Amino acid sequence: MSVDLDEEEVFEDVRERVDDPMRRLFAEYGRENAFQFVVGFISSIGARVLDLVPPLLLSIAVDAIFLDNKPYSLWLVPDAWLPSDRGAQLWLTVGIIAGAFIVGAAFHWTRNWGWNSFAQNIQHDVRTDTYDKMQRLNMEFFADKQTGELMSILSNDVNRLERFLNDGMNSFFRLSIMVIAIAVILLYTNWQLALVALGVVPLIAIFTKKFIDVIQPKYAEVRSSVGQLNSRLENNLGGIQVIKAANTESFESDRVDDVSEDYFDANWDAIDTRIKFFPGLRLLSGIGFVVTFVIGGLWVIGEPLGPLSGELEAGEFVLFILLTQRFIWPMAQFGQIINMYQRAHASSERIFGLMDTPSRIREEPDADPLVVGEGNVEFDDVSFGYDDSENIVEDITFDVDGGDTVALVGPTGAGKSTVMKLLLRMYDVDEGAIRIDGTDLREATIPSLRQALGYVSQETFLFYGTVQENIEYGTFGAETADVVEAAKMAEAHQFIQNLPEGYDTKVGERGVKLSGGQRQRIALARAILKDPDILVLDEATSDVDTETEMLIQRSLDKLTADRTTFAIAHRLSTIKDADKIVVLEDGKIVERGSHDDLLEADGLYAKLWAVQAGEIDELPEEFVERAARRRAQTEATDDD
Ligand code: ADP
């Protein structure tokens, strides 16, 4: 699901481990971008202060120049420096205002530069670091977590951080400075009227808090319903062929209608609350404005009301009217900033949670690079289960002499691929050990192990890019001639040449669609080009037609002649010449030997061979029953 998942659901387990994620964010990522932060911070102050210059000067001009009821005096400037002529005073005032606009504009620019680059840099660093950590996690992690959850962290959560660091922090400093500066000016000008004008502030704070409390659960509801809607749409688009074939368009339309309506309802509920909040706020600030206007207005034309005392000049009154208006909105926006902060907090918890997830496959600190000599491989009493509840493979013991080919044979689900994944160290064995030329895999560095192994699996994945890039993947910088040679050995050259742009044709998710067999041949060419010490072919030619398979087989014979090779194949004819055949059933080795030995033994292998050779129609009842039992078991665990 590439959607905004509900915060509560995702990574609950890892979130708990993260203490004070925002502080960590600033400590780990803020420091490098401290310059941008300081520029943003200082410019925010500068821009805000300069914004207040025009109303301040206007108030002074009203009293000193237009009404002439006060001497002309500017804050922070000695009176002796000021002109006494009213015309000159007016020009000076206008000049300062114009200067404030120009310098203010420059500050606005540096402020946005500072905050934006601060946020963008951190966003970039956090995303690339998270991705880097994530792809080094072990396979169990990817099996457990939905791709959508991970995508959601890498995109939504990182974006939310950026939004807070940019808009949130920018607004926070801007508004805080504004509120403090205005409060100071008002209190300095006339503290009594200031108390009247600011009296509405606590009311606004309470009102905003109430609004946040009410709207937050509604937003959570919206997020969860948009998640459901998106996953339904994504699911349906993925399964469109099934929908058409099953003629269930109306049924699916109804289902989409339902989830869309849930989203509509949730959204409307939130909108309904939101659209009442802002008029409410306007009303409150209006009350504050009217009260200040009445009290201040009466004061200017006559006497101060009630306990108020002293003088209030018209210009001061104008200043109050101008500034109280500017004061109210920032107060309301604090609510929004708190909201952004909370979301950023939750997001950074998830991001650091992901970064802190330990990998079960760990390289020993004293691991040495694996040096493959002869290429002997030894499985020594290996047992392993994907989870703790049951062993998927048990007591696997066999060895392969360097340069030999061993075939793993057995029914689906017997554990053949699992054995190979253990050799690749996608998982670590629970018991026993796997050794290459006597070195336990766990004592070798992981990159050196993977470099020594070439792996072609049944599920061939092509990256978006050209055919050539896909063949070169992992052997970057190969000569084109070598790429073509590898493609020829994998029987892929012919069809690649017939593609619209040959080796430069784009394939993969958004590229030209290739058949399963063609993809497998590209994957095979990739392994051939890599020229590994040990080759693992896990149903590497299962999707290729029999004729092509025979052609590939010829090349493979050359390729595997002096190379330790593991082959898993359903079509037994392709592995019958292997030096050793190991037959697995239910995670255990049940037979081993050469093709001829095994036929003679007349066990599972001989039966499988007979079925494939067409000598008998079907497997004896006992095997079929066992297969059915196994299937049922697998399905039961899949349902869990
Ligand atoms: P084979 O290659 O012989 O068909 P596998 O090694 O793929 O068999 O699978 C052996 C068993 O392990 C099956 O029951 C399968 O359901 C289970 N299995 C395979 N991969 C996983 C996994 N990532 N997590 C949990 N169980 C798995």
Side-chain angles (χ1 to χ4, degrees), residues 580-593:
K580 186 183 277 178
I581 297 171
V582 174
V583 185
L584 285 175
E585 194 184 17
D586 277 343
K588 295 195 186 70
I589 298 182
V590 288
E591 291 173 42
R592 68 181 81 203

Side-chain angles (χ1 to χ4, degrees), residues 238-492:
I240 190 74
Q241 201 167 337
V242 179
I243 294 175
K244 280 184 184 296
N247 194 24
T248 48
E249 281 98 338
S250 330
F251 172 70
E252 290 301 340
S253 290
D254 288 347
R255 290 216 286 189
V256 169
D257 200 311
D258 285 348
V259 278
S260 181
E261 200 164 308
D262 289 345
Y263 172 59
F264 177 95
D265 290 343
N267 219 359
W268 187 254
D269 197 21
I271 290 171
D272 193 42
T273 308
R274 202 171 55 220
I275 58 179
K276 285 176 191 150
F277 170 68
F278 290 104
L281 204 61
R282 198 165 268 278
L283 215 59
L284 276 181
S285 68
I287 293 170
F289 180 80
V290 168
V291 171
T292 313
F293 202 108
V294 169
I295 295 178
L298 290 176
W299 197 341
V300 172
I301 59 170
E303 288 291 304
L305 289 181
L308 304 171
S309 60
E311 291 280 313
L312 180 70
E313 302 296 342
E316 292 170 348
F317 177 54
V318 170
L319 185 66
F320 264 85
I321 295 304
L322 289 176
L323 291 191
T324 12
Q325 279 306 293
R326 293 203 183 191
F327 192 80
I328 304 301
W329 284 105
M331 289 303 299
Q333 282 176 0
F334 275 124
Q336 213 124 28
I337 296 171
I338 293 170
N339 195 3
M340 268 195 206
Y341 174 81
Q342 283 174 338
R343 295 171 67 143
H345 189 274
S347 289
S348 53
E349 252 178 357
R350 260 176 299 180
I351 289 168
F352 286 118
L354 179 58
M355 285 202 199
D356 292 350
T357 307
S359 182
R360 249 171 72 175
I361 307 279
R362 250 189 309 259
E363 199 170 272
E364 294 299 325
D366 56 353
D368 287 322
L370 179 72
V371 182
V372 183
E374 310 236 305
N376 299 319
V377 179
E378 183 188 355
F379 278 77
D380 182 3
D381 212 7
V382 167
S383 296
F384 167 78
Y386 287 99
D387 48 46
D388 300 332
S389 62
E390 66 163 345
N391 275 346
I392 293 289
V393 292
E394 222 166 60
D395 307 330
I396 302 290
T397 302
F398 67 93
D399 43 47
V400 191
D401 292 336
D404 274 4
T405 295
V406 62
L408 299 180
V409 171
T412 306
K416 305 180 293 290
S417 297
T418 304
V419 170
M420 288 302 98
K421 284 180 200 157
L422 294 174
L423 177 63
L424 284 157
R425 234 190 138 195
M426 298 284 178
Y427 302 89
D428 267 337
V429 298
D430 291 334
E431 282 167 48
I434 304 175
R435 297 185 197 95
I436 296 180
D437 284 338
T439 308
D440 191 318
L441 298 189
R442 287 166 293 193
E443 284 160 13
T445 58
I446 294 171
S448 69
L449 170 70
R450 305 257 165 87
Q451 189 56 39
L453 290 157
Y455 178 59
V456 186
S457 79
Q458 206 168 348
E459 295 143 27
T460 42
F461 182 83
L462 297 186
F463 291 93
Y464 178 68
T466 65
V467 171
Q468 173 148 1
E469 283 162 359
N470 266 286
I471 296 179
E472 277 177 355
Y473 194 80
T475 323
F476 302 105
E479 300 285 330
T480 305
D482 296 334
V483 172
V484 173
E485 187 54 36
K488 280 185 179 156
M489 285 184 79
E491 296 297 336

